[in-house]
Every structure is written in C-alpha cells, then in structure tokens.
Amino acid sequence: MKKNENYNQETTKGMTIVVKKICQFMAPVIFLFGIYITFHGHLTPGGGFTGGVIMASAFILQILSNGSILERLRSEKWRLELTESIAIFCFLTLAVLGLVLTAYSVFFANFLDRGTFGQLVSGGIIPIGNIIIGVEVCAAISSIFIALLIFKDEEDEEESR
Amino acid sequence: MGNIDSLYILLLLATINVVFSKKLLTSLVFLSIFSMLLTLKYITLKAPDVAITEAALGTGLTTLIYLVAIKKTGRKK
C-alpha cells in the first residue's frame, strides 16, 4: 500500500526558479507564434506541420522546466492520442466532402469559395486543412515526448523489482 | 560568394565540434548551433519554407528530445 502511494506521487524533476520564470514568460509567445504560422499557412512560408511543431515545443518546454507528475502524464497521453485520431478523421472527412459535394467528383476537391488572393480568409479548404493538420501534429509530437518520459520510467520500475 | 563560403566554413567547424567534443551536452549545443547556421544557409538559398521547418525541428525539438535522453541515461551510470 505504501509502495502504491509512492508510485502515485512520482514526479519528474523541475529546473531552477530562473528557468521556470523565463519559460512561463516565453511559452505563451511560442504558442501564439505557432498559431500564427498555422493560420497564415496559405499566405506565408510555413503551414500546418511547422505550426504544430512550434505549438508542441511550447508544451514540451513547460513540461521540462516545471516538472510533472507521471501519473497525470499518462492520462494526458491518452487524451492526446484521442485528439490526434479525431483530427485525422476530420481531415479524411474534409477530403471525402470534396468528393461528394462537387460536380466533378475529385478527392480533396476545393468546394468552398476561394475569395481574393492575399486575404486571410481565402483559398477554400486549404486553411481548414492547415488548422486540422496543426492540431494533429501538435498532439502527435507531444504524445511522442510524453511516451519517451513514461517509457524510461517503466523500464526503471522493472529493474528495481 | 564570400558570404556563402564563410557560412560553409562555420558549418564545418560546428560539425567538427559536434563529433569531437568530450561532453555530450557540449556536443548537443554545437548541434543546435549547426542547425541554426543551416537555417541561415537555407535562407541564403531562397528556401524560406525549408528554413522555418529546419529552425523548428532542428533547433527546438531535436535539442529538447536529446536533452531528455541525456538527462535520463546519464543518471544511471
């Protein structure tokens, strides 16, 4: 029973107060920059993948600097995998909608109004696809990182037994 | 032309430091510097899309994941 309590309160080590405060200031800015890259994917260099990686690096920075409870990370990993799967399903649905709604029946057909070139709201389904891919990549890379933390931890427990 | 040549020399110096440094953390910092110089190189070659991806992946994500790997494996020894 006592062993179980120790298991529940197991944490990863945080860093010093300087690193913690700087990361608390920087992480929202990095996250906002990722959102900017994702939303302007059809106008400027970058896109869903790059924005997703930048957004995930904000989460990773917070986990590394502040430390975290491993039991909570396990539940977060489950939620992240669910988010990733839902985003992939939405992307597939977007592609099939192009197949169904257009007259010429093409996979990934652009069925929305394309607007004027250079505006933020233009390009039909391209910005929507960028946003979905950004969410998916953010969830996937965060879950890879959390899996790295958890996996080594489980290996340590097996050796201690 | 001289600009491009100096970037190549800096990339070479960073790579030599990555391979031959004694401590793993020093090697990791030089890997990050190498990635940053490679980003400048891509901008010089007029490929801003690749440059942004290289900056996000090489400088940010790879450094963080290697940092965790070094921190986790160094404690056991």
Side-chain angles (χ1 to χ4, degrees), chain A residues 46 50 60 64 145 149 152, chain B residues 49 52-53 64 68 72 76:
Chain A
T50 316
I60 290 174
L64 268 187
F145 179 75
L149 281 181
K152 192 64 179 61
Chain B
D49 203 351
I52 285 181
T53 310
L64 289 175
V68 172
K72 287 264 182 185
K76 195 181 279 183

Side-chain angles (χ1 to χ4, degrees), chain A residues 27-40:
Chain A
V29 181
I30 294 172
F31 191 75
L32 196 65
F33 183 63
I35 291 176
Y36 165 78
I37 291 275
T38 309
F39 271 59
H40 289 247

